[in-house]
Amino acid sequence: TKGGYEHFMYKEIHEQPGALRRTIHGRLNPLNGGVELEAFPPGTFADVEQIHLVAMGTSHHAGMYAASLMAARGIPAFPFMAGEYAVTVPPVTPGTLVVAVSQSGETADTLDAVRRARAAGARTLAVTNVVGSSITRECDAELLIRAGPEIGVAATKTFSSQVTALTLLTERLAEDVTGSKSGDAHDIVDALSRLPGDVQEVLDTATASAIAAEYQDSDAYFFIGRGIAHPVALEGALKFKEISYEHAEGFAASELKHGPLALVTPLTPVFAIFTGEEDEATLSNVKEVQARGAPVVAITGDTDGEISEFADHVLAIPETHPDVAGVLANVQLQLVAYHAAKLLDRPIDKPRNLAKCVTVE
Ligand code: M6R
């Protein structure tokens, strides 16, 4: 049931602190800054040479996020849209670990990518929410995200739990592949243990409905970010378009000047995501879009610095490790999308033309 909430999506957004508590439960060791994944003791991934993350939609954005974290720790990691994996035929070696990210564990394109990877000799790992799903049967191993059932077609709490589970996996991989814990391991473990409370703070202080109302007559909605904020921008736009039916696009902030800037006008609000890394460069993009008259909503933990000074509005997130900040920023964008769709009276839990689970290619 919706437990008093008007929509499953809104309920699931609010379930995120609990979902994240389950995702990290028993998996963090604050004393040594380590992660403890039941099925993957230290050394499990010692012979992994590269990672391919295959997934679709929101799960692909989680895969992009994770690839960025892994690459920053010296692990060659590449995200693929699972449906393109067959077409691009990337080289798979016995040292390749293919990580399939799928909430449902039943997405046809993702299952197909796993089958191809296996046939080519790769090791496979499923990151999923559903025990006993097809993907768990196809893969050599599984990492459950433990978000709990998600009814709304729009993926919300499962994205947060996917990113969190993949962050844990990243630390395990970094230790196994490079021979030592990542330099940030302690800080990451600390930030992840605070994450459920930080998400609660975002939910308790949310002002997204006012932002949605202020910009409800816009022509289009753009989302920009760098590094891990890039997949968060893509995810913010996906959520916005799928439930509001408004035109929403996410871009790498660095890409703006190479084309998308031509679309920017006073009627295209730009949501700029700041995670504490590469913020200066993104701020200069903010100034570029403002010079074209676009209003800017900054999602940032820096609420009394230069970013807030320039932005027209700020959606605040608690200060945390930059690698974890993207999860908090995404919660703000979920709320913006939800309120925008609600103002337009859209059928939020069952958007037109979409299904929760896409079992045909
Ligand atoms: O079940 P999966 O994670 O494999 O689903 C993949 C996509 O269909 C899914 O993430 C979709 O993009 C979301 N429901 C959009 O909110």
Side-chain angles (χ1 to χ4, degrees), residues 20 65 159-160 163-164 195 199 232 323-331:
L20 290 167
Y65 193 124
F159 176 81
S160 298
V163 170
T164 300
L195 183 59
V199 169
V232 173
D323 290 352
V324 178
V327 175
L328 296 168
N330 183 60
V331 174

Side-chain angles (χ1 to χ4, degrees), residues 219-234:
D219 285 348
Y221 302 81
F222 298 135
F223 299 76
I224 60 169
R226 276 191 164 63
I228 58 156
H230 174 213
V232 173
L234 299 182

Side-chain angles (χ1 to χ4, degrees), residues 65-331:
Y65 193 124
S68 201
L69 299 181
M70 290 172 186
R73 286 158 183 74
I75 307 162
F78 310 95
F80 293 93
M81 216 178 268
E84 291 296 302
Y85 199 65
V87 185
T88 51
V89 201
V92 166
T93 59
T96 304
L97 175 68
V98 173
V99 178
V101 188
S102 174
Q103 183 283 128
S104 63
E106 304 296 343
T107 297
D109 283 316
T110 310
L111 279 166
D112 180 62
V114 165
R115 290 185 188 125
R116 284 170 191 277
R118 282 187 72 121
R123 251 171 103 174
T124 52
L125 165 60
V127 176
T128 183
N129 197 29
V130 181
V131 180
S133 53
S134 300
I135 216 149
T136 62
R137 293 196 298 273
E138 290 284 344
C139 288
D140 301 321
E142 69 191 55
L143 174 61
L144 294 172
I145 65 168
R146 306 175 184 158
E150 189 176 68
I151 310 293
V153 165
T156 52
K157 62 177 179 172
T158 56
F159 176 81
S160 298
S161 286
Q162 283 171 337
V163 170
T164 300
L166 287 164
T167 305
L168 297 171
L169 179 67
T170 299
E171 292 302 327
R172 164 87 287 121
L173 280 163
E175 199 176 334
D176 287 359
V177 173
T178 68
S180 61
K181 284 196 179 63
S182 82
D184 278 4
H186 263 102
D187 291 346
I188 295 275
V189 165
D190 185 47
L192 289 177
S193 63
R194 282 185 285 112
L195 183 59
D198 285 348
V199 169
Q200 189 65 56
E201 188 178 325
V202 170
L203 297 171
D204 290 346
T205 58
T207 54
S209 63
I211 302 287
E214 173 149 3
Y215 296 116
Q216 66 174 321
D217 294 321
S218 302
D219 285 348
Y221 302 81
F222 298 135
F223 299 76
I224 60 169
R226 276 191 164 63
I228 58 156
H230 174 213
V232 173
L234 299 182
E235 176 58 13
L238 171 58
K239 216 87 311 175
F240 201 100
K241 75 181 81 163
E242 75 170 323
I243 59 167
S244 75
Y245 313 158
E246 293 294 296
H247 180 205
E249 293 298 330
F251 305 110
S254 59
E255 195 196 2
L256 261 188
K257 278 200 284 258
H258 302 277
L261 197 54
L263 296 170
V264 170
T265 73
L267 285 175
T268 61
V270 175
F271 293 83
I273 299 133
F274 294 88
T275 59
E277 248 166 24
E278 306 288 336
D279 282 0
E280 277 300 314
T282 301
L283 188 59
S284 74
N285 300 122
V286 159
K287 294 173 189 169
E288 282 157 10
V289 300
Q290 282 180 323
R292 277 82 190 170
V296 170
V297 181
I299 297 89
T300 179
D302 177 24
T303 47
D304 53 11
E306 224 191 342
I307 297 170
S308 318
E309 207 177 291
F310 280 95
D312 298 272
H313 295 281
V314 170
L315 290 172
I317 55 174
E319 277 191 75
T320 186
H321 191 284
D323 290 352
V324 178
V327 175
L328 296 168
N330 183 60
V331 174

